[in-house]
Amino acid sequence: MTKPYSVACEKNSDAILNELTRLLIKTKTVLEIGSGTGQHAVYFASHLKHLIWQASDIADNHQGINCWLDEAQLTNLLAPITVDVTQDSLINNSYDAIFMANTLHIMSWLAVQKCIKRASLCLNAKGLLIVYGPFNYRGEFTSASNQQFDLHLKSSNAERGIRDFEKVNRLANDAGFFLKEDNTMPSNNRLLVWQLNG
């Protein structure tokens, strides 16, 4: 199988790594929900050697992810586990942080709700939920390009779309998180960081 490749992952990896290096300095274990191609998992684990990075995705994407992992041969990067946020299965392990990139806008709103709630159950006390991607604020797009992207998403699946920050933040609050950071990122993206109470 040819390794899957995402141009977006290639473009945003350095900017995200700059933030993760700071945020995860004392972190030991990270669960990535929605590893996609596997590019981010390999890139971040290769630069953040002090932590164990657990890749995950739906089973259909494991083969592609493993192409990247097999080539990289990183001892701190674990083979993908199956995580489908629409199902009732729940990760049993506790993690110090959860990372998600460009995932919420390709999920249905019901899946987003389930994902945030279940994330709180996978984390240790004071664990971090780190989410990268585009968001609307006060119901408005932050750029014309994001508006066009939203139309593109909905043309392929009406349940997809750029999420409103305020609605997602309310879900996080209800799940026991408080907003720690809202970072501006290139290409009209954000890096949101919630911390679990306790």
Side-chain angles (χ1 to χ4, degrees):
M1 177 182 178
T2 303
K3 284 192 307 180
Y5 178 79
S6 166
V7 174
C9 284
E10 185 73 25
K11 290 174 62 177
N12 63 32
S13 290
D14 284 332
I16 297 174
L17 178 64
N18 287 340
E19 301 299 327
L20 294 185
T21 300
R22 171 181 62 82
L23 292 165
L24 302 179
I25 191 168
K26 296 182 180 179
T27 300
K28 294 181 180 178
T29 55
V30 176
L31 169 65
E32 180 184 14
I33 295 179
S35 295
T37 63
Q39 286 168 257
H40 274 163
V42 167
Y43 192 77
F44 299 146
S46 67
H47 286 83
L48 303 170
K49 296 184 182 296
H50 66 284
L51 56 76
I52 301 297
W53 192 279
Q54 175 64 70
S56 81
D57 213 309
I58 59 173
D60 289 349
N61 291 336
H62 286 198
Q63 186 176 6
I65 294 169
N66 281 322
C67 287
W68 283 87
L69 271 61
D70 291 345
E71 181 181 86
Q73 292 292 303
L74 298 170
T75 57
N76 66 323
L77 177 54
L78 305 182
I81 57 176
T82 300
V83 172
D84 184 343
V85 299
T86 66
Q87 302 300 315
D88 291 331
S89 59
L90 185 67
I91 305 301
N92 293 322
N93 294 0
S94 292
Y95 297 89
D96 297 322
I98 290 174
F99 171 74
M100 304 169 61
N102 291 324
T103 51
L104 297 189
H105 56 262
I106 62 171
M107 295 179 185
S108 68
W109 180 242
L110 179 61
V112 172
Q113 293 174 289
K114 290 182 176 181
C115 182
I116 300 297
K117 182 177 181 179
R118 289 172 182 164
S120 69
L121 304 176
C122 301
L123 287 167
N124 294 319
K126 298 184 179 180
L128 298 179
L129 173 61
I130 304 170
V131 180
Y132 171 88
F135 286 89
N136 294 334
Y137 287 80
R138 295 173 295 279
E140 299 291 336
F141 294 103
T142 60
S143 69
S145 60
N146 276 4
Q147 186 173 13
Q148 289 299 316
F149 181 50
D150 184 74
L151 288 172
H152 170 72
L153 288 168
K154 289 175 178 172
S155 69
S156 61
N157 186 330
E159 294 189 332
R160 293 180 172 182
I162 295 178
R163 304 304 172 191
D164 290 337
F165 161 76
E166 291 82 5
K167 292 181 180 179
V168 177
N169 188 51
R170 193 175 306 119
L171 291 178
N173 292 161
D174 290 345
F177 292 98
F178 67 90
L179 184 67
K180 188 177 176 70
E181 297 182 14
D182 181 351
N183 299 285
T184 302
M185 303 294 284
S187 301
N188 303 302
N189 287 299
R190 314 297 297 183
L191 188 81
L192 304 176
V193 183
W194 287 277
Q195 186 168 9
L196 193 63
N197 293 305

